[in-house]
Amino acid sequence: MPELPEVETVARRLSTVLSGKVIQGVSVLREKSFQGDPSRLTGLTIKSVSRRAKIISINFHEDIKIIVHLKMTGQLIYFSKKEKIGGGHPSQDWVSKLPSSHTRIVMDLSDGAKLFFNDMRVFGWWKVVSGEGAELEFQKYGPDVNTDAFSLEYFLSKLPNRRVSIKQVVMDNKVVAGIGNIYASEALFLAKIDPTRATNSLSKKEVTRLFPFLKKVIEDGINAGGTTFDGKYVDVFGFAGSYQNQLKVYGQDGENCKICKSIIEKVKLGGRGSYFCPSCQK
DNA sequence: AATTATGTTGCGGT
DNA sequence: AACCGCAACATAAT
């Protein structure tokens, strides 16, 4: 479910509530969701929480990390009876009722707070790894879209041999990490480029036009706290993001284009639903 | 009631 | 290498 903005939002908010806390124990309710030995974590103090690509990293003072991938439906939900959450907002009611039938892992903190990993489809995972192990995982990905390492020159260099659609390449996390199905559709709309275009048919001028919009949609997504619909993505306190209010094409098939009033169309690219305005995007 | 869709990635085969 | 189809799994919507 989450793309870079959602994962970044979760990592930032987790860091504020988890840093400095001591793990009392980690309970694995579904074996498939956890790789490693959970007992190694008991007694460790959490140093920080960070993000690389769509992976969350819970960091300790020792050479050990918990890396977490939410895949399609993973959620990390923090609950503490004592603290007022998120600057004084009370937790959502359903948060206080966890664990649910979709809860796969529970982390207990020594102050009584809990971190729940809910994952309906069980694609997501936690792995206990060394710093080196985390690096090996991160090396599978290209540069994060919101970093200087993802430059126009680099992007241009990755495109010439690709015959598949530009949307598929933008979503290829070995090329650039962090862009998923929603933000890919949105960036291509803003750049007025047809997502079905063969990548090697784009001119340098078109790639140059697209490039800053890849950064913009991700930045705007982070600033909005991510995209939520059907209540599937929520932050660590159970609250929705707001980027869904800025979506121009994703999920808008059959609606009027916000620019030209044409009907937004949906096609399948690489097996994924893809939305675009056939009039604005060429 | 069966088929199809879902915000992700990895695999095996061509 | 790049690409394609399918796989992991659970649920809601047609």
Side-chain angles (χ1 to χ4, degrees):
Chain A
M1 129 175 103
E3 307 180 32
L4 190 150
E6 292 75 32
V7 179
E8 176 71 16
T9 301
V10 168
R12 286 183 188 178
R13 294 181 184 173
L14 262 192
S15 204
T16 67
V17 291
L18 288 189
S19 296
K21 301 224 165 149
V22 177
I23 294 179
Q24 188 173 66
V26 173
S27 307
V28 177
L29 309 182
R30 182 76 155 235
E31 287 299 326
K32 185 178 180 291
S33 301
F34 194 97
Q35 294 177 36
D37 179 5
S39 71
R40 285 176 67 195
L41 302 167
T42 300
L44 297 185
T45 301
I46 295 170
K47 183 167 76 173
S48 62
V49 181
S50 53
R51 178 203 55 76
R52 164 79 168 98
K54 296 171 189 170
I55 295 174
I56 292 161
S57 178
I58 302 176
N59 309 305
F60 300 89
H61 299 280
E62 296 80 359
D63 181 30
I64 187 170
K65 294 172 185 294
I66 306 172
I67 55 176
V68 178
H69 203 306
L70 304 175
K71 290 292 182 89
M72 295 284 270
T73 55
Q75 302 177 330
L76 288 170
I77 305 293
Y78 176 87
F79 180 68
S80 168
K81 282 179 185 164
K82 286 187 289 189
E83 297 171 44
K84 289 290 183 183
I85 304 304
H89 298 292
S91 284
Q92 307 284 73
D93 207 42
W94 64 268
V95 170
S96 66
K97 294 189 172 67
L98 293 173
S100 71
S101 60
H102 295 142
T103 302
R104 312 303 183 191
I105 301 169
V106 183
M107 175 189 286
D108 285 286
L109 289 312
S110 61
D111 66 350
K114 290 172 185 288
L115 180 68
F116 297 95
F117 179 59
N118 302 328
D119 185 19
M120 185 181 73
R121 292 177 73 177
V122 206
F123 294 170
W125 43 253
W126 288 28
K127 297 182 187 179
V128 179
V129 295
S130 64
E132 192 181 4
E135 280 309 310
L136 281 175
E137 197 73 42
F138 299 158
Q139 280 170 16
K140 296 178 184 173
Y141 299 89
D144 280 10
V145 57
N146 61 338
T147 61
D148 290 342
F150 181 61
S151 65
L152 177 59
E153 295 67 33
Y154 165 86
F155 188 41
L156 283 164
S157 77
K158 303 302 280 187
L159 306 181
N161 301 327
R162 307 301 296 266
R163 304 184 305 265
V164 291
S165 73
I166 182 63
K167 173 162 175 283
Q168 285 169 271
V169 171
V170 157
M171 288 176 63
D172 181 346
N173 278 252
K174 291 180 173 59
V175 173
V176 54
I179 304 173
N181 207 23
I182 296 177
Y183 295 95
S185 281
E186 294 299 308
L188 286 160
F189 175 81
L190 295 176
K192 300 187 187 299
I193 292 170
D194 182 339
T196 66
R197 289 271 303 283
T199 297
N200 60 7
S201 80
L202 295 201
S203 66
K204 183 174 179 181
K205 187 176 172 185
E206 287 172 318
V207 175
T208 304
R209 197 168 76 224
L210 170 60
F211 176 76
F213 284 116
L214 297 175
K215 304 232 181 209
K216 175 182 166 50
V217 294
I218 294 298
E219 182 187 340
D220 289 350
I222 292 172
N223 290 335
T227 302
T228 300
F229 43 87
D230 304 335
K232 282 182 198 161
Y233 162 74
V234 290
D235 75 2
V236 296
F237 310 121
F239 290 109
S242 66
Y243 193 77
Q244 64 278 9
N245 301 324
Q246 299 179 51
L247 294 176
K248 306 293 195 297
V249 288
Y250 186 88
Q252 310 290 307
D253 52 319
E255 305 289 319
N256 294 316
C257 170
K258 293 178 167 54
I259 303 296
C260 77
K261 308 299 182 197
S262 299
I263 303 295
I264 301 298
E265 290 182 13
K266 179 181 183 182
V267 295
K268 240 182 209 330
L269 294 173
R272 313 298 305 281
S274 307
Y275 306 84
F276 69 107
C277 171
S279 172
C280 289
Q281 296 174 257
K282 296 298 183 189

